[in-house]
Amino acid sequence: MNKYVIIDLETTGHTPSKGDRIIEVGIIVWSNGEIIEEYSTLVNPEVNISTFITNLTGITDEDVSGQPIFEDIAEQIRILFDDAYFVAHNVPFDLGFLNDEFKRVGLAPLIQPVIDTVELSRILLPQAPGFKLGQLATFLELSHVDPHRALSDAHVTSYLLAHLLNKIYALPYETIVQLRQMEPRIKSDLGEVLKERENQLAFLTEEPEGIEIFRGLALKKHVTKAKSTNNTTISFGEIMERFYQKDGDLAKAMSQFEMRSGQREMTELIYDAFQSKQHAIIEAETGTGKSLAYLIVALFQAVHDNERVVVSTHLTQLQTQLIEKEIPLLEKVLSFPFQTAILKGKQHYLSLAKFEQTLRSSEFDNYDITLTKAIILIWLTETTTGDIDEIQLPSSGQQFFRKVSTEAEGGLDVSSPWFTRSFYYRAKTNAQKSDVIITNHALLCANMTSEIPLLPSFQKIIIDEAHHLEATASKHFGLSLDYVSVQRTLQAIGSMEDGAWIQKLMKYDNDIALICKEYEWDKWWLEAKEETDTLFRFLFQYVKEKQVNDIAINDIGRYQYRIPEGTDQGWDTIIEMVNRLSFQLRDLIHILSRILHLMRESDMAVDLMEEVKWHMKRIQTIIDELENYFIHQLKMEEVKWIEIDAFGAQNAVYLYQEPIDVADLLQEKLFQEKQSVIMTSATLTMKNSFSVFKERVGLLKEDVLEKKIISPYAYEDQVQLLIPTDFPYAKYGKMDDFIEATCEAILSLAHITKGRMLVLFTSYDMLKKAYILLREIIDEEEYMLIAQGVSSGSRSRLKKNFQTFDQAILLGTNSFWEGIDIPGSDLSCVVIVRLPFQPPNHPVYQAKANYLKKSGKNPFATLALPNAIIRFKQGFGRLIRSSTDRGIVFVCDDRIMTAKYSNYFIDSIPEIPIHHKTTKELMEIAQDWL
């Protein structure tokens, strides 16, 4: 069948059963690569079109008045689909809606092969930034004249289909064969297309250009880079002069170049710190251009002095930005060659060995797993890194990836056929050969605690987003354990009958099977699984029964309970359960040690022995963590707490342990070890002082270079700060009146700003209550309301959705206070609901406050206030992201003006006009300003 009918519908809503109707139909009939027919019409829905749909599509009630109703055109539309593939960008919606309408007017539904271009794009374009039609049109540079109009969208879908089919016809034979095996479990009917391509390739013997075939997998060929012997004779002064000039190298390379004196100042300061082998702290406010500033000197230092420099970021997204945006720019601009590499933790890299194993067992794969495998198959023909951050996987696909990551692989022995193609070891090799390594705080901290170095040796490092260093170090010097991770470890090993790893090991050698039976593997394995479930269920009830005053709620709605120094009867029962579980897990290790002994005597495959060792190590780690958490006495300088999903599964329990103070640890393992550590961020000072930050990271007694670089933006002309005087008093536990006033202010501001608002909360509970109230008072047809933890999707997905709609309000908690950029007119207003103090019953805050009290310090002045100010500066910084941005920051909490500590907040942000008036007066100011 070579006929494809591509359809797009515009409708009054998503649910025909509730009265939603079609308002426009666009159809393209496509055959043998050509459009042979077009059909387009407006449809009178005989119901009113909402303002929201009119804003989205441009179609009004007047436009459809006098147009045919669906009954008049139904048969004409249905005939177009005879003997053809039904193609749409989201088939379940278009086909489902159309068939409901056919049924309503007495016609039989369409039953024929379908191709969903959303699904097909996810598989064949794994590195696309998103899979909405507009995003794909931009990514593929397809002409999209009139978005959200049926015929225009149908045209774009037909261009997309052509591109996707061409992509299939360019795939290697091995990939086609694998996709054919998966095809019955995906939604699109690709059987004929894939079979035709397989037949074409069946007798070809040459490998496709740029592809190598290994053990049945098609992989992009990797070109090994030789170690760079770069050097430069140019001086640092010459670099500065050529780089930082109005008509210099940077200005020529950038279309929108702005001279920034602070950027040059920062570069020179880092260079001075490197030369004098000193540590430095630099607060570079928004707009400084700090990424380029530190990369210039890092690259020069590394190449000129032939020494490796490391750059560490908090988020892996910034790692990617540096390597994909800033580094290519500097390759054009700098007059000397250099090599850079990105290095992440093992969990980010695909294990080809593990993925190969999963391809052999697919009979129980659900749709998401099948889709994920198909995505990875295509990606392998395109990637040289194997870094999962390059692609987007479905939600349960992320869980699948954990099973096939390098972390799950254990240690690959050099004798493994996959060793030379390991993405992780390739990344480590590239890092070893590079002048500058770009990594993240998590791997940096793991490197400090690992017996085997995870990073190549270095003496100079630049730590960006340095305000996260303390928290990241606390996590890595502590431990975290949860029910799912323990069960995942046990499940990965499996029983003698479930087809998992232990059964495959038994099939490898009959003596191994005899050991498993003799020592009753299944008995101990099953008891360990059941005891794990019993323990975590008991922990769940133990926390749930605690008094409300003992419980905190974090920003994603989990209950948090800090473990006190004393114990009670329930805790004694937990200790007994932990001892039983440890005993059962040790029995599993004992059986595996017997198997390992046998394998050594029989000279079995080294890679299999490495797998046994790895599983033993994983089980021992669980034992150590359980005993460290439950059995060992709580030390004064550490905090332990339990989190539960109160409305989730009865075993959804998470155990955390962290040191209260990491200053001495960082001093010992970082600052004493390295010649020069540069720490930078937009938010490091409190009232223009670095003292609190220095104390927390262990630099108080060090001779450190310090600099605060002011933003080049004219904040006084770009921002107005509004604080109401008439809001109800916000008291913990009695917040209803305050939340109601906040929601009314949000609605009033929304009318002025046309939505385009980011509302920042300090608690998930308050966000949820505000969302429920806003749903009642806001016209859904006028504003799209998007809320973290309520609306589905990741932070980046919620941000994209917010930017897609003309009038939207985005509600966020913790993770939305920083690291989210919404430049230009997409964001006109940031609402800060409460000053971001941590709740007093937050487990880590409680423990740190007690620790500080015992040390004779004031917890509010040295902990609560600095944390809140840093967080406030981050939230404030969401609004102005360029020199042309303009808007309002509305702070509902008037403690920023009335409290004794108010000047600390005001003095920590740029000087801007501040209005402390009634809500009515503030709305008038906002109206005039915008």
Side-chain angles (χ1 to χ4, degrees), residues 794-840:
S794 63
R795 183 179 74 158
S796 59
R797 179 59 54 85
L798 296 181
K799 176 198 157 188
K800 284 177 184 175
N801 290 345
F802 171 75
Q803 292 178 287
T804 299
F805 293 95
D806 291 332
Q807 298 195 162
I809 301 168
L810 176 58
L811 313 181
T813 57
N814 189 34
S815 61
F816 278 83
W817 284 74
E818 64 172 314
I820 178 169
D821 288 349
I822 307 174
S825 59
D826 282 351
L827 185 65
S828 301
C829 179
V830 171
V831 176
I832 294 176
V833 177
R834 296 280 283 159
L835 293 181
F837 288 102
Q838 277 186 302

Side-chain angles (χ1 to χ4, degrees), residues 9-11 20-25 43 45 70 97-98 101:
L9 302 176
E10 301 300 334
T11 63
D20 287 324
R21 296 287 177 262
I22 295 169
I23 55 175
E24 189 175 31
V25 180
V43 182
F70 186 75
F97 208 109
L98 197 59
E101 286 292 80

Side-chain angles (χ1 to χ4, degrees), residues 292-344:
L292 282 177
Y294 62 65
L295 283 174
I296 295 163
V297 66
L299 292 164
F300 177 84
Q301 180 74 35
V303 173
H304 187 269
D305 286 15
N306 193 28
E307 62 172 335
R308 186 180 297 112
V309 177
V310 170
V311 172
S312 179
T313 72
H314 174 55
L315 298 172
T316 55
Q317 292 96 309
L318 181 54
Q319 275 185 276
T320 304
Q321 177 188 312
L322 294 179
I323 212 79
E324 291 182 357
K325 185 180 176 185
E326 272 78 6
I327 292 298
L329 174 65
L330 290 173
E331 284 175 336
K332 296 178 186 175
V333 171
L334 293 176
S335 57
F336 55 86
F338 56 83
Q339 282 183 222
T340 57
I342 192 166
L343 188 59
K344 302 178 183 179

Side-chain angles (χ1 to χ4, degrees), residues 28 174 254 259 331 336 363 422 514 648 656 691 729 830 837 850 922:
I28 301 289
E174 286 73 12
M254 295 180 70
M259 280 291 294
E331 284 175 336
F336 55 86
E363 61 270 23
S422 165
L514 291 173
Y656 296 99
S691 59
Y729 179 65
V830 171
F837 288 102
N850 291 341
L922 293 179

Side-chain angles (χ1 to χ4, degrees), residues 626-840:
L626 285 169
E627 293 184 346
N628 191 17
Y629 193 89
F630 291 103
I631 310 297
H632 297 170
Q633 190 172 358
L634 182 66
K635 299 175 185 175
M636 189 185 86
E637 64 274 11
E638 68 183 7
V639 55
K640 298 178 184 179
W641 76 98
I642 304 172
E643 294 185 6
I644 66 169
D645 286 330
F647 303 105
Q650 296 291 295
N651 45 28
V653 178
Y654 308 82
L655 310 175
Y656 296 99
Q657 176 181 322
E658 290 183 8
I660 289 172
D661 188 349
V662 294
D664 291 343
L665 290 166
L666 287 173
Q667 171 63 224
E668 176 192 346
K669 295 183 177 295
L670 179 63
F671 300 117
Q672 289 180 9
E673 290 282 323
K674 306 305 173 189
Q675 287 179 358
S676 186
V677 179
I678 314 296
M679 289 176 289
T680 184
S681 166
T683 52
L684 292 176
T685 63
M686 183 177 81
K687 211 173 182 182
N688 298 316
S689 170
F690 289 102
S691 59
V692 171
F693 176 76
K694 287 165 63 179
E695 183 177 5
R696 289 186 179 182
V697 297
L699 277 176
L700 203 56
K701 297 176 184 177
E702 292 275 344
D703 180 21
V704 180
L705 297 177
E706 300 175 16
K707 187 68 180 179
K708 179 180 171 71
I709 297 176
I710 305 301
S711 171
Y713 299 151
Y715 277 95
E716 67 277 8
D717 299 323
Q718 294 179 257
V719 188
Q720 301 275 304
L721 179 59
L722 311 184
I723 304 115
T725 58
D726 54 355
F727 262 42
Y729 179 65
K731 187 177 181 182
Y732 185 74
K734 296 181 180 179
M735 300 288 288
D736 290 351
D737 291 344
F738 176 80
I739 292 172
E740 187 175 335
T742 298
C743 291
E744 288 173 355
I746 290 169
L747 179 58
S748 298
L749 283 167
H751 292 320
I752 296 168
T753 63
K754 305 289 190 294
R756 323 314 319 144
M757 295 171 62
L758 172 62
V759 185
L760 297 174
F761 293 84
T762 54
S763 83
Y764 178 69
D765 183 58
M766 196 186 298
L767 179 150
K768 222 168 35 168
K769 288 175 179 175
Y771 175 80
I772 291 167
L773 184 54
L774 285 169
R775 284 290 301 267
E776 293 177 5
I777 65 175
I778 279 184
D779 184 351
E780 289 184 42
E781 296 180 359
E782 192 171 1
Y783 299 105
M784 173 59 67
L785 191 61
I786 301 168
Q788 181 186 8
V790 180
S791 310
S792 60
S794 63
R795 183 179 74 158
S796 59
R797 179 59 54 85
L798 296 181
K799 176 198 157 188
K800 284 177 184 175
N801 290 345
F802 171 75
Q803 292 178 287
T804 299
F805 293 95
D806 291 332
Q807 298 195 162
I809 301 168
L810 176 58
L811 313 181
T813 57
N814 189 34
S815 61
F816 278 83
W817 284 74
E818 64 172 314
I820 178 169
D821 288 349
I822 307 174
S825 59
D826 282 351
L827 185 65
S828 301
C829 179
V830 171
V831 176
I832 294 176
V833 177
R834 296 280 283 159
L835 293 181
F837 288 102
Q838 277 186 302

Side-chain angles (χ1 to χ4, degrees), residues 107-332:
L107 293 177
L110 293 170
I111 302 172
Q112 58 205 100
V114 303
I115 292 180
D116 188 337
T117 52
V118 174
E119 177 186 65
L120 211 51
S121 296
R122 296 200 74 161
I123 294 171
L124 295 170
L125 304 173
Q127 300 191 64
F131 300 99
K132 290 183 177 178
L133 193 59
Q135 292 170 321
L136 290 166
T138 302
F139 178 64
L140 298 173
E141 299 181 346
L142 305 175
S143 175
H144 198 184
V145 179
D146 202 0
H148 299 296
R149 291 304 298 266
L151 189 60
S152 176
D153 284 357
H155 267 291
V156 176
T157 305
S158 70
Y159 306 150
L160 175 60
L161 176 66
H163 181 90
L164 295 170
L165 291 176
N166 286 336
K167 183 81 181 275
I168 288 174
Y169 279 88
L171 291 174
Y173 175 79
E174 286 73 12
T175 306
I176 294 290
V177 170
Q178 296 280 8
L179 288 176
R180 272 201 73 190
Q181 293 172 0
M182 298 175 185
E183 189 269 342
R185 291 187 294 278
I186 64 174
K187 295 169 185 173
S188 297
D189 296 297
L190 295 174
E192 286 189 23
V193 176
L194 294 171
K195 184 179 180 181
E196 182 182 344
R197 176 59 177 161
E198 184 179 343
N199 290 338
Q200 288 177 352
L201 295 171
F203 301 104
L204 293 180
T205 55
E206 291 184 8
E207 291 184 353
E209 187 177 351
I211 298 290
E212 71 157 333
I213 309 301
F214 187 74
R215 294 175 67 93
L217 281 177
L219 311 170
K220 184 169 182 176
K221 277 184 180 172
H222 174 65
V223 179
T224 303
K225 290 182 181 179
K227 171 71 175 84
S228 170
T229 54
N230 300 342
N231 56 63
T232 178
T233 56
I234 192 170
S235 72
F236 183 71
E238 289 176 280
I239 291 284
M240 291 295 93
E241 288 307 310
R242 291 172 60 170
F243 200 85
Y244 291 118
Q245 294 288 339
K246 285 185 179 178
D247 57 350
D249 294 342
L250 186 59
K252 292 172 185 174
M254 295 180 70
S255 57
Q256 295 180 323
F257 174 74
E258 295 177 16
M259 280 291 294
R260 303 173 185 182
S261 60
Q263 190 176 46
R264 177 169 185 160
E265 187 180 6
M266 182 174 178
T267 301
E268 291 173 340
L269 182 66
I270 296 172
Y271 179 73
D272 290 343
F274 277 173
Q275 294 306 300
S276 60
K277 298 180 181 178
Q278 280 183 284
H279 304 318
I281 306 174
I282 306 168
E283 180 173 86
E285 291 185 346
T286 306
T288 303
K290 61 184 169 66
S291 299
L292 282 177
Y294 62 65
L295 283 174
I296 295 163
V297 66
L299 292 164
F300 177 84
Q301 180 74 35
V303 173
H304 187 269
D305 286 15
N306 193 28
E307 62 172 335
R308 186 180 297 112
V309 177
V310 170
V311 172
S312 179
T313 72
H314 174 55
L315 298 172
T316 55
Q317 292 96 309
L318 181 54
Q319 275 185 276
T320 304
Q321 177 188 312
L322 294 179
I323 212 79
E324 291 182 357
K325 185 180 176 185
E326 272 78 6
I327 292 298
L329 174 65
L330 290 173
E331 284 175 336
K332 296 178 186 175

